[in-house]
Each structure stands twice: as structure tokens, then as C-alpha cells.
């Protein structure tokens, strides 16, 4: 069913340069590029970012189709955006004039502009999550947040929360599927039906999911405590991260791109 | 010194109805004990109290001679490990190695020693080839073996199994029971297993029977099984091997009742060789 | 009318890197009015197969004829929704499907989905409740305050209330204590003997299979490895060993004795005849 096709966020166990980069470096690169994407640096800026993305995608050995599939869920949003923009934005040159209906150039440009930004963001995030094991990602986040612990940010607790959430995503997807099947066997139709039926069918899914998740959460908390976990106590860590030259190089590249975009914008 | 000593233990979840009332027992060091009783008899509550996840309403718990209270609980968890029922809900790491490491991290084991310990304990439960596997790729029995490895890494003297095989298929069940046997025999480890599986009970050395929050019977498996009627009233059945053995003694083929298949076969083989 | 399965294949996520063929050409004829066990290891395709029986999954290839429905690839699920009333599927740990405020409402949920009026549905609930060993005092209680075993009974009642012709049970006794398991199996046997319902039981518990089932199907890696009447099946313990299934205690004992040189015919499957057979081969203590 639908659930099995989620591409966004899934780790792809391949052997590539990008896979072996330090997760902290990858997160920083993503951060720099995300900022760069939001700088209105015009076509040149986008071409530079696009070039970087293409190279990264190529190095990561991910299939282009995989990255594109990650964008599938966005298509409806894009269409929606286009429709809204067409109806609302009435500046620039009118391209189509058909009775009361008209499409102006700015509407199209504006939509394209947002769509391209969204695409960049999705592809970048997909590359990060597809080449980094969830746990390494969490560890990276934890280490990057470490300096903020001084001002009271509980970095290791945040990291633990994220890693447990990631760990249980597949379990919850499986569970959702199972409850859907069980309710479908009781005659629930999740796809058709009026509003009242829809609400009821969603309730029949959500309530059991909550009940079992709370159950799970309690058991998990017990298991963690029984194994000596105390969020307020010192812990050692199994995984250690080491920055290498290629990590520095990757980050430097992204800083350069950010600089170029900033430069174009300011000048 | 007793590994576990419980006296006058009472507990209630809602403050009204007692799930456990005046429970007392002691388990000597190195003993393999099973606790049986129907669902709702309070078995799993005992496990949670012993590991200090909840505090008793009344009574005391002593672990290795030390009283269990809010201050001592963290220290005592170095000595007591527990494997729970649901294999999924105790797998914390995203891979086998990470999950085994979780306990080591909590106990502040230096990072340089972790890899060796992880490989050692994973090997002992037969999961060495799966160190980088994610939990979704493992069977229930394999996940429980990882849970055992995670506990072995801490080397506790006491290991509690809280219905750890009840959600497993027969192979999983067999592999965990085999692990329990091994854990018990290889060192002077105290094992406390809460179970429904009468074949496992037959393998243990000491049995505690709970009914509605009370300890009603204690003794060796054979002593417990002798109360067949009482067990039946608690909806517990005697193991198949004992049924056969009873039939064999009734037919005057053997002269002593035993409760494991291995013992039945041994008895019969001795009789056969005398032909 | 029996259930006819022809060359059934199923591939998950076809055309993606995660594509996985779970069923590789299943041919089966499951007899009506009998209790059939489906056994096999985790990943053998059992769950995939049973989800075809009430149209939760549609075959990638092959056909399935059940309760007058002909199911083939590309069929719209909408057209076979009615099939789910005829084939009741009880999943593993069904207590996790409860969600209503009262037990009455939860059991009536199924019938209402199939367009039965509320009053009629409540009447059906009252009829079904005693069958699962609960009385009318439970009707207005919340299902969430019951014990695990009782929750499961309510969940199973939620399927039985649809009065299905075929009942498919996926590990219905998993996690229950021995007594709870026995009561559950007795309920299903009653439904079979008294109401003639066809029952399919997915189980790991060979004691249950041996005691309650008429017919055994063994799946292995998405294929049918064995299809036999229960007697023939248990007379060949090597078939169980082959797919890694732990035989029932009596068969394990028999195999252990055979290994030690006792001559015990494969046809012996009950304790009195086993004891009788041993008696002739040892010197008794007189």
C-alpha cells in the first residue's frame, strides 16, 4: 500500500564518498545551502546551487529516479500553488486572456521560483538522509548542539528523543498498516465514503494507534530505566565522530556557494 | 546470602485493590527459579518491583543483601538485568551493536572497551553476524537474544526474564530457553524467570506459584507438580513429559515420576539395556 | 463451496528497489466446513496469503475463488468489499483494533459499516457476546478497562458478529495463558462443529494444530511445501524439521526414543498407544 513507498528520509545503504562524510559536516553543508537557497541571488545563484547538487547526487551514487520520487508528494502542493498564484497575482505581462480568466507572467515566475527552491530543499534533505544512518545523524546533531548546552539546551536529551523517534518510525508504519487492515476487515473503507464515514474511519485508526503507542512508550521507558538510563547522569558514547580533510573541503565548498549567493544579492 | 529476599511485599496500582499482598520468598544465589501463575496473578508486578521501576506499598526487597530503595536502585541495577516480554519495545538502538552499547553507555563504560565487549556478548548469544542489522530485519527471537546480550554486557549476577518467550514462535522460544540454561550453568548466575511455559518450569530448580497476588506454593518442580489438582484450579497444566511419566509408572514400567522428556528417555533406555 | 487458489502470486512494491515477491505461485484447494492450519516460519508468506482471502490484497498474478467471489489481478477493492463480510479475518493481537467508548459500540462497528441499522446491530451484539464468554453487564463498559484476554474476546466478537462463512485466524492464542488459549480454541471449534464455519488457523503451536485441525498446509518461501490431512502430516515429523517447526511434545518424545533404538511406528500419535508400545519393549518393574 501507500505506506511502503515513502522514499523521503529512508537510508540507502550504498558505499560512496558522501556516505562516508562526517554527519556533522553534512548537516552544516545542508544548513549553508538552505540559507543560500533562500537568498534571492537570481538565476546565477540557482545555477551554482544546482551544479553543487548534481555533483553531490552523482557522488552519492543515488539514482536520480530515487531523488525525484522523493518529490512526488510535493506535486499536488505545487499544482495548488500554481492555481492560487494564477488567481491572485495579476502583475507582469498577461500571457493568457480568456474571458475573465487570465494568467500573468509574474504568477508563473513566482510559482517557478518557489518550486525550484522547494525542489532544492527536498533533494538536499534526501541526499542527507539517504546517505546518513539515522543514528549518525542524531549523533551529529547532538555534537553540533553541544556548545548550546552551556545556555541550558539539553542536547543529549534532544538527540535521544530524535533517535528513538527514528527507531520507531518503521514500527509505527507497520502498526498503522496492521490496524488499517484490521479495521478494513471490519468493513471500514478508508478511501471512499462521505465526511461522517471518513471521520469515523480515521478515528478507528487513530485511537488504537494512540493506545498502542502509549503502551509502547511505557514499556520502552521501563526498559531504558531498567538498563540504567538516567537523562540527568553522565553517559559515555559508543560512536565517535572524526572530521577528515574531505569533510572540511565539503563544508568549505558550501560556504563558498553561500558567499557567492550573498555577494550577488548584496552587490 | 540470598540473591533476592522479599518479605511482606504488597502493591496496588489504584490504591484500592492489592495486586500483591504479603508476598514473601527468598531465592538463593545461583538458583534458577521460575514464577508461575495465571494472567493477572501479579507475576509481572513482582518483576517491576524487583528492578525498582515501582516502589512497593509495604514490605521490603533485598538484592544481594542490600535493601532496595530510591538511593540504592541505580547501584543495584549494575547487578540485576531484566528481559521484558515485548521484543520490539526494549530494542532501543537502531542496530544490534548500538542496542548492546546502550547499557554500556549508561554504565559509563569507557568507549575504547565497548567494541570488544559488544562483539564478545553478541557472539555468546549467536548474534555476531548481525551487529549492523536493524531491528526490523530481525525475528522476535533474535531481538530477545540481543536483549540478553545487552544485559550480559553489564555482567549482572541476577537476570530476570519477564515472560520473555511468550510472544515468540517455537524456535524463538527454544533458542531463548537454551540461552537461559546456558546463562545459568556457565557462571554462578541467579535466574528468575516468569513464565507460562511448563516445560521451562520443569527445567528450573525452584518454583514459586502465585495466585491472586499471594504465594500459594513453593518448591522444586516435582514438588509443585504433585499438587496437580491445585494447579488445575489455577488453570495451570502439568508438562507433557510428566503426564507420560505418570502413565508409565501407573503401568509399572517405571518406578519414579520425572518431568522432562530427557529424563523419561533416560529412564526407558536404562530399562531397555537390561533386556 | 471450497476455496480455490490458482497460481497465486504476490509481489510487494513491484517496480521499486524494495520489490519483494512474497508468494510465488500458490495452488490450493481449501475444503469447506473444515479446520485448516496454515503453518510456516516467519516470512514464509502466511500473512500475505491470508490477506488475499478477504481482499485486503489483490493478487499480482493468478486467481482466487472464495464464497462466490472471483478475485484476479487489477480488481478494484471496492467491488469486493462485500467479501469482507463473508470472510472474517482476525489479525494477531486483535485487541489493538478496539477504539469505541463502549463494548457494545465497538462490536456493532462492523455491522454498521456493512449498512446494518443501529438497532439491528445492537441486537446482533447481544447475541454474540455470550458466545465469547462475556455477559450483558459488559455492554456499556469501556473496552479499555478490560484485561488482555477479555479485550481479545471483544475484538474477536467484533468479527464474529458479521457472521462470516469463513473465519481466518492469525495466531489467535499468542500471548494468552494456557487456559485462555484453550478457551479460545474451544470457541472456534464450536463455531466449526455447530455452525459449520470454515476455519483457517495460522499457528506456530503444533499442539493446537494436532489437536484441533483437520487439514494442514505448510508454506515455505512463498510456496506450498505440503498439503495434507492432519494425521498424515504428523506421521512425518521430518516435514516439520525441514521447515524448522518444533514438533509437538509427543512427537519429540517419539523421535528421541526412536533414536535410542526403540521401535515405534510413525502412526502412533497419542499417549496411551505410545505407552502401550513402549511397554512391550522394556522390562517392567513388577
Amino acid at each position: 500500500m501507500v505506506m511502503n513507498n515513502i522514499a523521503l528520509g529512508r537510508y540507502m545503504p550504498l558505499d560512496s564518498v558522501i556516505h562516508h562524510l562526517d554527519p556533522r559536516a553534512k548537516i552544516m553543508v545542508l544548513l549553508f545551502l538552505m540559507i543560500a537557497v533562500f537568498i534571492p541571488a537570481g538565476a546565477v545563484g540557482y545555477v551554482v546551487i544546482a551544479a553543487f547538487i548534481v555533483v553531490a547526487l552523482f557522488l552519492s551514487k543515488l539514482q536520480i529516479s530515487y531523488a525525484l520520487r522523493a518529490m512526488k508528494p510535493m506535486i499536488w502542493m505545487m499544482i495548488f500553488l500554481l492555481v492560487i498564484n494564477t488567481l491572485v497575482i495579476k502583475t507582469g505581462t498577461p500571457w493568457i486572456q480568456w474571458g475573465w480568466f487570465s494568467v500573468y507572467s509574474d504568477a508563473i515566475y513566482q510559482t517557478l521560483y518557489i518550486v525550484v527552491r522547494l525542489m532544492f530543499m527536498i533533494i538536499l534533505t534526501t541526499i542527507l538522509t539517504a546517505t546518513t544512518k539515522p543514528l549518525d545523524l542524531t549523533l551529529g546533531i547532538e555534537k553540533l548542539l553541544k556548545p548550546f548546552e552551556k545556555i541550558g539546551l539539553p542536547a543529549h536529551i534532544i538527540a535521544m528523543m530524535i533517535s528513538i523517534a527514528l527507531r520507531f518510525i518503521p514500527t509505527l508504519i507497520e502498526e498503522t498498516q496492521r490496524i488499517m487492515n484490521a479495521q478494513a476487515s471490519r468493513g471500514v473503507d478508508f478511501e471512499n465514503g462521505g465526511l461522517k464515514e471518513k471521520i469515523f474511519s480515521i478515528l478507528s485508526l487513530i485511537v488504537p494507534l494512540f493506545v498502542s503507542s502509549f503502551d509502547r512508550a511505557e514499556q520502552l521507558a521501563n526498559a531504558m530505566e531498567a538498563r540504567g538510563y538516567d537523562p540527568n547522569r553522565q553517559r559515555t558514547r559508543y560512536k565517535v565522530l572524526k572530521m577528515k580533510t574531505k569533510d572540511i573541503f565539503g563544508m568549505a565548498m558550501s560556504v563558498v556557494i553561500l558567499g557567492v549567493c550573498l555577494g550577488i544579492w548584496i552587490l | 546470602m540470598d540473591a533476592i529476599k522479599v518479605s511482606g511485599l504488597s502493591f496496588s496500582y489504584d490504591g484500592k485493590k492489592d495486586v500483591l499482598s504479603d508476598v514473601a520468598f527468598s531465592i538463593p544465589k545461583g538458583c534458577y527459579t521460575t514464577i508461575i501463575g495465571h494472567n493477572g496473578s501479579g507475576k509481572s508486578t513482582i518483576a517491576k518491583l524487583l528492578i525498582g521501576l515501582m516502589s512497593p506499598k509495604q514490605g521490603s526487597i533485598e538484592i544481594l543483601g542490600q535493601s532496595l530503595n530510591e538511593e540504592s536502585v541505580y547501584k543495584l541495577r549494575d547487578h540485576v538485568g531484566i528481559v521484558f516480554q515485548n521484543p520490539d519495545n526494549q530494542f532501543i538502538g537502531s542496530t544490534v551493536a548500538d542496542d548492546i552499547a546502550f547499557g554500556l553507555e549508561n554504565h559509563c563504560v569507557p568507549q575504547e572497551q565497548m567494541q570488544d565487549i559488544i562483539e564478545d556478548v553478541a557472539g555468546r548469544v549467536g548474534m555476531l553476524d548481525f551487529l549492523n542489522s536493524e531491528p526490523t530485519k530481525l525475528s522476535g527471537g533474535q531481538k530477545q537474544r540481543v536483549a540478553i546480550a545487552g544485559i550480559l554486557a553489564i555482567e549482572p549476577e541476577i537476570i530476570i526474564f519477564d515472560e520473555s518467550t511468550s510472544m515468540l514462535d517455537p524456535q524463538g522460544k527454544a533458542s531463548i530457553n537454551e540461552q537461559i540454561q546456558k546463562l545459568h550453568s556457565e557462571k554462578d548466575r541467579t535466574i528468575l524467570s516468569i513464565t507460562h511455559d511448563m516445560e521451562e518450569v520443569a527445567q528450573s530448580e525452584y518454583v514459586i506459584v502465585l495466585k491472586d497476588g499471594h504465594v500459594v506454593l513453593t518448591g522444586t518442580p516435582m514438588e509443585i507438580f504433585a499438587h496437580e489438582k491445585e494447579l488445575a484450579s489455577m488453570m495451570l497444566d502439568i508438562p507433557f513429559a510428566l503426564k507420560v511419566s505418570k502413565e508409565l509408572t501407573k503401568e509399572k514400567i517405571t518406578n519414579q515420576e520425572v518431568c522432562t522428556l530427557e529424563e523419561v528417555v533416560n529412564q526407558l533406555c536404562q530399562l531397555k539395556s537390561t533386556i | 463451496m471450497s476455496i480455490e487458489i490458482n497460481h497465486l502470486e504476490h509481489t510487494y512494491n513491484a517496480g521499486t528497489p524494495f520489490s519483494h515477491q512474497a508468494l510465488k505461485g500458490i495452488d490450493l484447494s481449501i475444503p469447506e466446513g473444515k479446520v485448516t492450519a496454515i503453518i510456516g516460519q516467519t516470512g514464509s508468506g502466511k500473512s500475505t496469503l491470508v490477506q488475499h482471502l478477504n481482499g485486503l490484497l489483490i493478487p499480482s498474478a493468478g486467481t482466487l475463488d472464495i464464497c462466490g467471489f472471483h478475485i484476479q489481478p487489477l480488481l478494484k477493492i471496492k467491488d469486493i468489499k462485500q467479501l469482507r463480510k463473508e470472510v472474517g479475518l482476525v489479525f494477531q493481537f486483535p485487541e489493538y483494533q478496539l477504539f469505541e467508548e463502549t463494548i457494545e459500540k465497538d462490536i456493532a462497528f462492523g455491522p454498521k459499516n456493512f449498512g446494518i441499522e443501529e438497532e439491528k446491530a445492537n441486537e446482533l451484539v447481544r447475541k454474540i457476546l455470550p458466545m465469547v464468554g462475556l455477559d450483558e453487564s459488559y455492554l456499556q463498559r469501556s473496552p479499555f478497562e478490560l484485561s488482555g484476554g477479555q479485550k481479545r474476546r471483544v475484538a474477536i466478537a467484533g468479527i464474529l458478529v458479521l457472521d462470516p462463512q469463513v473465519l481466518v485466524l492469525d495466531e489467535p492464542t499468542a500471548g494468552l495463558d494456557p487456559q485462555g488459549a484453550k478457551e479460545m480454541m474451544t470457541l472456534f471449534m464450536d463455531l466449526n462443529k455447530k455452525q459449520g464455519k470454515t476455519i483457517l488457523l495460522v499457528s506456530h503451536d503444533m499442539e493446537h494444530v494436532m489437536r484441533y485441525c483437520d487439514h494442514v498446509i505448510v508454506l515455505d518461501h512463498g510456496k506450498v511445501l505440503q498439503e495434507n490431512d492432519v494425521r498424515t502430516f504428523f506421521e512425518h515429523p521430518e516435514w516439520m524439521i525441514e521447515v524448522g517447526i518444533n514438533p509437538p511434545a509427543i512427537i519429540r518424545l517419539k523421535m528421541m526414543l526412536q533414536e535410542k533404538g526403540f521401535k515405534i511406528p510413525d502412526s502412533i500419535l497419542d499417549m496411551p498407544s505410545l505407552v502401550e508400545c513402549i511397554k512391550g519393549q522394556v522390562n517392567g518393574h513388577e
Side-chain angles (χ1 to χ4, degrees), chain A residues 95-187:
Chain A
W95 281 358
I96 300 170
Q97 197 86 44
W98 196 48
W100 59 269
F101 182 79
S102 58
V103 178
Y104 283 78
S105 60
D106 279 6
I108 302 291
Y109 286 136
Q110 195 67 33
T111 311
L112 263 178
Y113 189 54
I114 297 173
V115 165
V116 168
R117 280 206 240 178
L118 273 175
M119 260 175 59
F120 282 168
M121 277 159 53
I122 293 169
I123 297 181
L124 282 168
T125 320
T126 308
I127 295 177
L128 176 69
T129 52
T131 62
T132 321
K133 283 189 196 143
L135 198 87
D136 294 340
L137 205 55
T138 325
L139 197 61
I141 294 171
E142 184 183 347
K143 294 285 185 243
L144 288 172
L145 289 179
K146 199 97 196 167
F148 298 99
E149 270 189 346
K150 289 202 184 74
I151 54 162
L153 189 84
H156 64 284
I157 295 181
I158 293 174
M160 181 57 77
M161 271 161 45
I162 299 173
S163 76
I164 286 177
L166 289 170
R167 146 78 183 89
F168 277 92
I169 285 173
T171 315
L172 285 182
I173 289 175
E174 217 170 87
E175 184 113 329
T176 309
Q177 187 75 66
R178 208 178 67 199
I179 296 169
M180 274 175 97
N181 278 339
Q183 303 300 28
S185 300
R186 293 211 277 171

Side-chain angles (χ1 to χ4, degrees), chain B residues 39 170-171 251-252 274-275, chain C residues 41 177 244 279 281 283 285:
Chain B
N39 278 354
Q171 288 102 301
E251 294 284 329
K252 302 236 166 42
T274 60
I275 294 181
Chain C
Q41 282 193 310
D177 59 20
K279 206 177 174 180
Q281 299 182 45
N283 296 330
H285 286 264

Side-chain angles (χ1 to χ4, degrees), chain B residues 38-39 166-167 169-171 196 199 235 240 244 247 251-253 255 265 268-269 271-272 274-275, chain C residues 41-42 93 177 179 204 244 246 249-250 252-253 257 260-262 271 275 278-279 281-285:
Chain B
H38 58 88
N39 278 354
S166 74
M167 287 177 78
D169 60 21
Q171 288 102 301
H196 286 311
E199 290 201 31
M235 304 173 174
F240 172 79
V244 176
E247 198 64 28
E251 294 284 329
K252 302 236 166 42
I253 299 171
N255 59 357
V265 173
L268 291 174
C269 280
L271 294 171
K272 185 169 189 280
T274 60
I275 294 181
Chain C
Q41 282 193 310
T42 313
F93 301 105
D177 59 20
Q179 181 63 22
H204 286 304
N246 198 20
I250 185 156
R252 271 182 285 145
L253 178 61
L257 287 170
K260 297 282 180 195
F262 283 86
M271 196 167 73
V275 170
I278 295 169
K279 206 177 174 180
Q281 299 182 45
V282 292
N283 296 330
H285 286 264

Side-chain angles (χ1 to χ4, degrees), chain C residues 90-96 98 132 134 146-158 170-176 181 184 188:
Chain C
V90 177
F91 281 89
Q92 235 182 84
F93 301 105
E95 50 272 31
Y96 279 120
L98 303 174
V132 295
L134 298 172
L146 301 180
S147 74
Q150 288 173 323
K151 275 187 199 161
R152 187 169 302 183
R153 287 153 187 275
V154 172
I156 288 174
D170 190 355
E171 295 276 354
T173 60
L176 295 181
M184 198 63 85
F188 299 137

